[in-house]
Amino acid sequence: MYQEIDDCIFLREPEGTVSFCRDDLYRYSGPRSMIASALVFRIMKEAIHDLSPSDIPERKAFMILSGHAGPGVRDGFELLTRAFTEGRYRVDAVGAPKEAPRSAAGGHMFFRIGYKNKAMLYVLSDELFGEKWFRQVQMHQEGSVSAEAHAQYLVYKNDLCGKILYLSTIFSIRCPCSPDELIMSAPNVS
């Protein structure tokens, strides 16, 4: 049995459909944000499946509340939805569900994604984003003590990206939530 690899996201604009491959997110955010790029790609694939299963969704109809304060996550959502530039993206570093693992970039590993009048809550599994991930990012994201240590960190990051993209689930919680829980009262965080 083979895993089906679906590596493009299609979004509708007023004048046509645009597509983004996962490599587009990686190129936009850069190699430092490879985990964030994989994560945003996967979350958006899941959100599209959950919130607009039978139609190509409108690119600019998404609202995002990110519990993760990292710039790579923000960049990925910006590329796909233009939500940051247009004020539909917010970071909530304090309102996390208790199950959400803490983020090495500040906040916690959860996302509320809204589309039109629907919304979903995604809390990432601490099996992927638990203490090991937290320690690895804390120790190596800003530079490792040696080239060998950094090479091992890159191996870890690539392995984690594969899991993020291809495991059947990466969430401890995946459920509908109220669109009112989303974002517009929180200030924009850059």
Side-chain angles (χ1 to χ4, degrees), residues 34 149-161:
M34 69 174 23
H150 195 71
Q152 290 172 352
Y153 178 54
L154 293 177
V155 169
Y156 169 77
K157 285 173 69 166
N158 275 293
D159 180 60
L160 183 56
C161 287

Side-chain angles (χ1 to χ4, degrees), residues 27-103:
R27 281 191 299 278
Y28 184 71
S29 295
R32 186 172 188 277
S33 297
M34 69 174 23
I35 293 172
S37 296
L39 184 58
V40 170
F41 188 83
R42 174 68 184 266
I43 289 169
M44 282 300 292
K45 292 291 284 183
E46 301 290 342
I48 290 167
H49 178 269
D50 293 338
L51 300 170
S52 185
S54 56
D55 294 317
I56 295 173
E58 295 174 30
R59 182 179 188 196
K60 295 185 178 186
F62 284 95
M63 295 182 297
I64 294 104
L65 173 68
S66 175
H68 175 73
V73 166
R74 180 198 62 223
D75 288 349
F77 283 121
E78 172 65 7
L79 177 68
L80 295 175
T81 67
R82 304 292 296 169
F84 181 77
T85 299
E86 296 180 358
R88 296 176 283 108
Y89 179 90
R90 298 284 186 262
V91 173
D92 181 355
V94 295
K98 65 180 170 59
E99 300 87 354
R102 64 188 175 139
S103 165

Side-chain angles (χ1 to χ4, degrees), residues 129-186:
F129 291 96
E131 284 305 311
K132 179 180 181 180
W133 169 77
F134 190 88
R135 282 191 319 273
Q136 288 288 318
V137 173
Q138 288 290 305
M139 288 182 355
H140 300 288
Q141 188 69 6
E142 298 304 323
S144 300
V145 296
S146 69
E148 183 176 326
H150 195 71
Q152 290 172 352
Y153 178 54
L154 293 177
V155 169
Y156 169 77
K157 285 173 69 166
N158 275 293
D159 180 60
L160 183 56
C161 287
K163 290 175 181 175
I164 290 167
L165 292 167
Y166 300 114
L167 285 177
S168 60
T169 187
I170 62 169
F171 308 110
S172 62
I173 298 172
R174 175 183 181 165
C175 65
C177 64
S178 169
D180 296 336
E181 293 178 46
L182 254 91
I183 59 175
M184 295 340 249
S185 63

